[in-house]
Amino acid sequence: MKIIEVIKSRRNIKQFKPAPISEKNLLFWLEAASYAPNHRMNEPWELLFIGAETRAKLNHKTDFGGAPVVLAVLSKSAPTSFERDENVMAASCFVQNFLLAANEEGVGAYWASLGASPHNRSILGVPEGYDVIGVFGIGYPAEVPIARPRTPIASKIKYLP
């Protein structure tokens, strides 16, 4: 599959098949994700693999669609707000690389923002000053939704003098 096809076919998956994801594949995709652009090569992402007990405490409304793997991606704290923003952007690039690498192999993800609430940050043990980029259900999709229409990119472009 060409990269443009991988990008255009990636979707947020709501329900997963129970088939397991191999740890070898997960680590391979995470390694690929680590090649994301990151300012000053500080690699600000940290990962939390979420087990059954913690997953139950998070009490997600659909239990992450029954995904066989749930993980959280964090962005490290920084000494200035500018560097914090850089870290969040880099960690988001890391996530996108991961999602594309997994999608190329037919694996999807559900991206939830529930890790940002103070209650769930506590459950996850997120250190003060860290940002939760997302909590992800990972697995083989039970169904892949069709693409929603996108706004034409030309309407998003401004040319400055």
Side-chain angles (χ1 to χ4, degrees):
M1 192 179 325
K2 292 187 174 200
I3 189 65
I4 198 74
E5 294 165 346
V6 173
I7 292 168
K8 287 186 171 186
S9 66
R10 191 216 51 80
R11 301 279 177 278
N12 201 32
I13 303 301
K14 303 290 184 176
Q15 290 294 317
F16 297 90
K17 296 175 183 175
I21 303 296
S22 83
E23 185 174 356
K24 180 181 174 186
N25 286 347
L26 272 172
L27 294 176
F28 180 74
W29 302 325
L30 291 167
E31 181 72 28
S34 74
Y35 284 83
N38 63 99
H39 310 278
R40 291 179 283 286
M41 290 297 296
N42 65 346
E43 300 176 330
W45 43 82
E46 289 188 11
L47 309 169
L48 304 173
F49 278 86
I50 298 171
E53 182 180 320
T54 302
R55 184 173 173 161
K57 288 179 185 175
L58 288 173
N59 195 28
H60 184 260
K61 62 185 174 188
T62 70
D63 189 28
F64 303 96
V69 174
V70 176
L71 65 89
V73 177
L74 309 180
S75 178
K76 293 181 192 174
S77 64
T80 68
S81 62
F82 180 76
E83 289 174 78
R84 176 194 172 263
D85 289 348
E86 287 181 333
N87 285 353
V88 167
M89 288 181 249
S92 297
C93 289
F94 173 91
V95 166
Q96 180 70 355
N97 278 3
F98 172 77
L99 295 176
L100 294 175
N103 184 52
E104 181 183 37
E105 299 299 323
V107 171
Y110 180 94
W111 187 337
S113 59
L114 66 93
S117 78
H119 175 74
N120 289 333
R121 286 176 61 89
S122 175
I123 290 169
L124 294 171
V126 177
E128 186 68 35
Y130 277 51
D131 290 283
V132 180
I133 302 303
V135 179
F136 300 85
I138 311 293
Y140 292 99
E143 180 181 324
V144 178
I146 61 169
R148 292 184 184 172
R150 300 301 202 258
T151 304
I153 197 64
S155 70
K156 303 282 186 175
I157 297 173
K158 293 182 183 180
Y159 293 92
L160 301 177

